[in-house]
Amino acid sequence: MAETRRLRLALVTGNKHKLREAQEILSPYGIDLYMAGPEKIEIQADSLSKIAMVAARHAWESLGKPLIVDDSGLFIEALNGFPGPYSRYVYDTLGVDGILKLLEGEENRHACFKTAVALVLPPLEMVFEGKTCGTITTRPKGSSGFGFDPIFVPEGCSRTYAEMTVSEKNKVSHRAKAMKTLGSFIKSMF
Ligand code: ITT
């Protein structure tokens, strides 16, 4: 019987929800993802890809094992793309309610979630991106997921990410798109 090769890959994050979403996507591609703890440094920059790659290279220094870093953000059109790369800080300070307040009375609720996944698998260093657009609700709905999930309804859907199971979110999400591209790439390599 042919032996199936699987790749063990570390996800450097403090966010277990990201791990769960990404594990489900990557497993069919022969990738066993585990959470690794070296501190994820987060530089201030205007591009998620840059932030993810700097963090991934830094993590490699202490971990020395094949790894990925996922940096994601919510880009709101009426706020000129804010909070974008500053999403973590804005989530921790203003939270979901703060975003809804900023959009009070605003008719343009269009927004996009983006993910950049940086891979360090020496000598390879690559970034894979995913994007899903949709609308910001007027009040939080649902209790699953994390972060801004309760206020984001992806295009073509009637429920927020927080009203979906992990598998449902993975059918449409920004993270799933980035992880699938990563998965296909790795599968083609091994
Ligand atoms: P790590 O940096 O430790 O990986 P994090 O939660 O800080 O975890 P990011 O910096 O990538 O992740 O995300 C910035 C913010 O955007 C974060 O506070 C999340 O709340 C939010 N976010 C990221 N991905 C999301 C998603 O799929 N759904 C909802 N909110 C998300």
Side-chain angles (χ1 to χ4, degrees):
M1 199 165 74
E3 200 182 300
T4 337
R5 284 183 69 193
R6 297 190 66 85
L7 172 70
R8 260 177 71 73
L9 194 58
L11 172 65
V12 178
T13 183
N15 184 332
K16 62 179 188 335
H17 297 277
K18 276 186 182 178
L19 177 74
R20 186 143 180 246
E21 290 177 18
Q23 269 175 333
E24 187 184 283
I25 296 286
L26 293 177
S27 181
Y29 291 96
I31 299 168
D32 292 325
L33 198 64
Y34 64 98
M35 195 159 160
E39 196 200 347
K40 179 189 166 196
I41 56 154
E42 203 147 333
I43 59 156
Q44 295 272 310
D46 55 7
S47 126
L48 296 179
S49 301
K50 204 185 292 174
I51 298 169
M53 188 44 88
V54 170
R57 286 186 183 134
H58 182 263
W60 168 263
E61 296 297 320
S62 54
L63 194 64
K65 299 217 166 77
L67 64 89
I68 55 172
V69 166
D70 162 327
D71 202 65
S72 301
L74 178 62
F75 295 72
I76 300 174
E77 193 171 83
L79 304 177
N80 293 320
F82 183 82
Y86 310 107
S87 292
R88 170 69 192 265
Y89 180 72
V90 169
Y91 180 76
D92 290 346
T93 51
L94 302 179
V96 160
D97 292 337
I99 291 290
L100 292 181
K101 229 182 175 72
L102 286 175
L103 288 177
E104 231 164 47
E106 176 59 62
E107 277 179 21
N108 177 5
R109 319 287 300 187
H110 188 260
C112 298
F113 257 118
K114 296 184 193 172
T115 289
V117 178
L119 166 73
V120 177
L121 181 61
L124 281 178
E125 286 189 352
M126 291 180 72
V127 177
F128 303 86
E129 295 178 332
K131 173 176 161 179
T132 294
C133 296
T135 50
I136 304 290
T137 53
T138 48
R139 61 183 181 83
K141 285 184 211 159
S143 55
S144 46
F146 68 100
F148 298 111
D149 278 349
I151 58 167
F152 183 79
V153 177
E155 255 159 32
C157 300
S158 52
R159 291 172 295 152
T160 65
Y161 274 165
E163 293 176 297
M164 298 178 180
T165 61
V166 168
S167 304
E168 287 169 338
K169 182 178 173 186
N170 274 346
K171 288 204 170 74
V172 291
S173 89
H174 50 297
R175 172 161 305 103
K177 288 171 188 165
M179 294 292 173
K180 279 179 189 164
T181 318
L182 164 75
S184 306
F185 172 77
I186 288 187
K187 204 168 175 189
S188 71
M189 295 272 305
F190 285 85

